[in-house]
């Protein structure tokens, strides 16, 4: 019998069924209704699908948030593990680490965290894409707007691609080591591309994290699914112009996590064959 | 052949803050004739330790005045990711700082700058690339940016979130080192040891315990040599208030070095006889400084 009682997921919109905002995109309802699936974003998330594969025997809590990234992941992981009565062996963390392009900040006047999303344009140049407290429940805040403008200036003064990459990779190494030391079971849904083998220490850490990382045919799962037509856009034959992962990709995530749980001896069961997982005949 | 490389990280307390000989001639008048090279590192505790070691031991002082944990995280990774890093050779010494220090990359200077601030005191606000060494041009450039950073601080830095951030980063760094079998000491206490949240950190073995007589001569012990020795062993006291500075003076830095030296013997890094701690040296140092000043 599995010791795992709680499964937590952390990450970005990709772990949060981003793109499946049926309430804002009625045309998606027409496309997905024939599949007989529950037309609710929270019911498309891979964590929800995983909970069904596990017969709802484990409590599944999703901390992923659209637009947000690693800084929220570190914060939430620490908060949970430092909570009273936290028993590492009873918890599974499924983590989607993000790449650059996301900066979390705190707005004193509103007393809450927000996120800025940007594209890297050069070594010291970024292009802003937006900021929000919650992209799925947009609430206008003058304070947020002011802080966004402050950050636009801050980035101009302080952004350096290489420094940001160094911060991301050292933070990820620290987070992985933290979970290893605490003996918290974890699975990596995605890791950024900046984790190089630099010396004996990094080789060792990279070996550790690779054992926890989901891959398909040698590729990281995001790369594989993104490159092989598993996005909403592909799934809807271009009807919905959204490059978030489609429903089938979320099913694949849930089954790949399920298989990884078996491999890590967190549950007993029979793994789903990869060919069956990738087959999208029912879509 | 190098047996060990000792890497020190931290703030001015590790860098040798207060001993900026080039800034104020009063420092030279007080400490210039003690037979020690006149620079910050030589008067820091890593500097004292370096002089106690044989040549097959190397000391690297990565600490920097005004800077804090973010510099330490960065430098620790620079050291650890160096191709020559060896867990059997390299030993790290960490002096953690509290909230009130925030590091930024500066695109104009092409280097890091440090923002020093206080949640309690609005007047306490500094911005520097290298305190005591910044050129006039750099100072002017950074002065122009102060209002921006004040606005940033007012809008985005909040005491509880910053405290949590510092705590999390400290715990994660320590856990990273532990998990990867990297040898390290914490030279000036762990800022959050008293928190019930220390349950996972298991850091006591890495702490160094110091003993100094208090202002009444009674010996006291602590993992925090800075709080243990203030204000009665500050440079101000050591120089009879000839030179005002709140950093630890010659006496503290020398004895901190001796205590670390003895700990390294206890832990098998050095095969030597232990150094005797002579607390009466406080009076000798004070007298030497006073006599030197009298002769001027």
């Amino acid at each position: 019998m599995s010791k795992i009682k709680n499964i937590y997921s952390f990450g970005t919109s990709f772990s949060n069924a981003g793109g499946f905002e049926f309430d804002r995109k009625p045309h998606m309802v027409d496309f997905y209704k024939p599949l007989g699936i529950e037309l609710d974003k929270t019911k498309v998330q891979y964590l929800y699908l995983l909970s069904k594969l596990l017969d709802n025997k484990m409590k599944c809590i999703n901390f992923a948030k659209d637009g947000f990234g690693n800084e929220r992941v570190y914060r939430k992981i620490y908060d949970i593990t430092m909570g009273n009565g936290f028993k590492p062996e009873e918890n599974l963390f499924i983590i989607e680490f993000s790449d650059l392009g996301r900066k979390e900040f705190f707005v004193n006047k509103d007393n809450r965290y927000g996120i800025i999303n940007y594209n890297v344009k050069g070594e010291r140049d970024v292009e802003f894409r937006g900021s929000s407290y919650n992209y799925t429940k947009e609430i206008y805040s003058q304070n947020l707007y002011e802080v966004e403008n402050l950050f636009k200036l801050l980035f101009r003064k302080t952004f350096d691609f290489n420094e940001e990459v160094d911060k991301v990779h050292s933070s990820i190494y620290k987070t992985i080591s933290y979970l290893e030391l605490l003996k918290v079971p974890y699975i990596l849904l995605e890791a950024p591309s900046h984790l190089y083998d630099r010396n004996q220490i990094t080789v060792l850490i990279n070996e550790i994290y690779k054992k926890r990382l989901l891959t398909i045919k040698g590729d990281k799962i995001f790369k594989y699914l993104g490159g092989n037509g598993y996005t909403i856009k592909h799934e809807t034959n271009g009807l919905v112009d959204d490059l978030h992962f489609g429903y089938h990709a979320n099913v694949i995530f849930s089954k790949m996590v399920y298989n990884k749980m078996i491999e890590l001896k967190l549950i007993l069961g029979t793994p789903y064959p990869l060919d069956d997982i990738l087959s999208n005949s029912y879509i | 052949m190098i047996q060990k490389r000792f890497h020190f990280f931290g703030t001015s307390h590790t860098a040798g803050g207060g001993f900026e000989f080039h800034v104020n001639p009063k420092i030279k008048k007080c400490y210039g004739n003690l037979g020690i090279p006149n620079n910050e590192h030589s008067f820091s505790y890593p500097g004292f330790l370096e002089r106690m070691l044989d040549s097959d031991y190397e000391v690297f002082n990565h600490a920097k005045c005004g800077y804090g944990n973010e510099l330490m995280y960065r430098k620790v990774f620079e050291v650890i990711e160096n191709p020559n890093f060896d867990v059997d050779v390299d030993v790290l010494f960490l002096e953690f700082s509290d909230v009130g220090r925030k590091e930024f990359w500066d695109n104009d200077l092409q280097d890091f700058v440090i923002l020093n601030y206080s949640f309690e005191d609005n007047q306490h606000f500094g911005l520097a690339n290298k305190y005591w060494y910044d050129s006039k041009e750099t100072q002017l450039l950074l002065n122009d940016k102060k209002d921006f950073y004040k606005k940033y601080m007012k809008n985005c830095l909040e005491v509880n979130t910053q405290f949590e951030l510092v705590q999390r980063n400290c715990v994660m760094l320590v856990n990273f080192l532990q998990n990867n079998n990297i040898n390290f000491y914490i030279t000036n206490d762990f800022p959050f040891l008293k928190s019930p949240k220390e349950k996972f950190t298991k850091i006591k073995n890495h702490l160094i315990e110091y003993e100094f007589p208090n202002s009444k001569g009674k010996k006291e012990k602590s993992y925090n040599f800075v709080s243990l020795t203030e204000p009665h062993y500050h440079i101000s006291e050591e120089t009879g208030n000839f030179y005002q500075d709140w950093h630890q003076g010659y006496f503290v830095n020398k004895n901190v070095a001796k205590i670390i030296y003895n700990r390294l013997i206890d832990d098998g890094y050095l095969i030597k006889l232990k150094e005797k701690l002579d607390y009466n040296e406080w009076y000798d140092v004070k007298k030497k400084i006073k006599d030197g000043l009298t002769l001027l």
Side-chain angles (χ1 to χ4, degrees), chain A residues 100-103 116-130 155 159 161:
Chain A
L100 294 186
R102 296 153 196 264
K103 178 72 196 159
I116 280 181
N117 297 89
Y118 62 89
N119 291 326
V120 177
K121 276 180 73 186
E123 244 184 63
R124 300 204 170 83
D125 194 13
V126 300
E127 174 187 56
F128 277 85
R129 292 172 55 211
F155 269 66
F159 181 81
F161 176 78

Side-chain angles (χ1 to χ4, degrees), chain A residues 32-170:
Chain A
Y32 283 97
K33 200 172 182 180
L35 294 182
I37 62 173
E38 295 174 82
L39 300 176
D40 175 336
K41 183 174 174 171
T42 62
K43 305 291 168 60
V44 179
Q45 290 162 5
Y46 80 84
L47 189 65
Y48 173 77
L49 302 173
L50 176 67
S51 74
K52 292 211 294 190
L53 295 179
L54 296 166
D55 297 327
N56 297 314
K57 285 178 182 164
M58 295 166 193
K59 193 175 171 187
C60 291
I61 304 146
N62 183 15
F63 281 104
K65 195 168 176 182
D66 293 10
F68 284 66
N70 293 342
E71 288 161 307
R72 177 179 162 87
V73 173
Y74 312 143
R75 188 160 54 80
K76 290 294 176 187
I77 284 177
Y78 189 74
D79 288 349
I80 293 165
T81 52
M82 283 292 173
N84 284 334
F86 177 79
K87 292 180 182 167
E89 68 278 9
E90 292 181 355
N91 299 278
L92 169 65
F93 287 5
I94 308 169
I95 306 165
E96 175 212 342
F97 285 121
S98 63
D99 234 311
L100 294 186
R102 296 153 196 264
K103 178 72 196 159
E104 188 178 77
F105 54 86
F106 192 81
V107 180
N108 289 354
K109 285 179 186 166
D110 288 342
N111 195 33
R112 63 188 298 190
Y113 287 98
I115 193 78
I116 280 181
N117 297 89
Y118 62 89
N119 291 326
V120 177
K121 276 180 73 186
E123 244 184 63
R124 300 204 170 83
D125 194 13
V126 300
E127 174 187 56
F128 277 85
R129 292 172 55 211
S131 72
S132 180
Y133 289 129
N134 187 340
Y135 280 114
T136 53
K137 290 177 189 168
E138 220 32 89
I139 304 161
Y140 178 76
S141 161
Q142 180 64 25
N143 299 326
L144 176 69
Y145 176 73
E146 285 171 12
V147 169
E148 181 188 313
N149 284 331
L150 199 61
F151 265 81
K152 283 178 179 169
L153 272 174
L154 184 71
F155 269 66
R156 203 178 304 148
K157 290 173 193 290
T158 66
F159 181 81
D160 179 88
F161 176 78
N162 293 320
E163 292 305 326
E164 292 301 318
V165 167
D166 281 351
K167 263 187 225 166
V168 169
H169 98 251
S170 65

Side-chain angles (χ1 to χ4, degrees), chain B residues 4-8 14 36 41-55 57-61 91-93 185 187 208 252-265 269-270 275:
Chain B
K4 293 282 180 240
R5 288 186 293 259
F6 297 138
H7 300 270
F8 288 83
T14 299
I36 295 173
H41 170 67
S42 295
F43 277 80
S44 69
Y45 67 88
F48 278 102
L49 179 71
E50 188 175 33
R51 288 189 292 277
M52 295 162 74
L53 299 170
D54 296 336
S55 58
Y57 289 83
E58 289 184 320
V59 169
F60 299 90
N61 194 342
V91 184
L92 316 184
F93 296 79
Y185 291 96
T187 54
I208 296 171
V252 171
N253 287 342
K254 185 174 180 182
N255 280 288
V256 165
K258 281 184 181 179
I259 290 166
I260 292 174
Y261 183 86
N262 289 346
R263 174 65 182 267
L264 291 171
I265 292 168
Y269 289 111
L270 300 172
E275 282 284 326

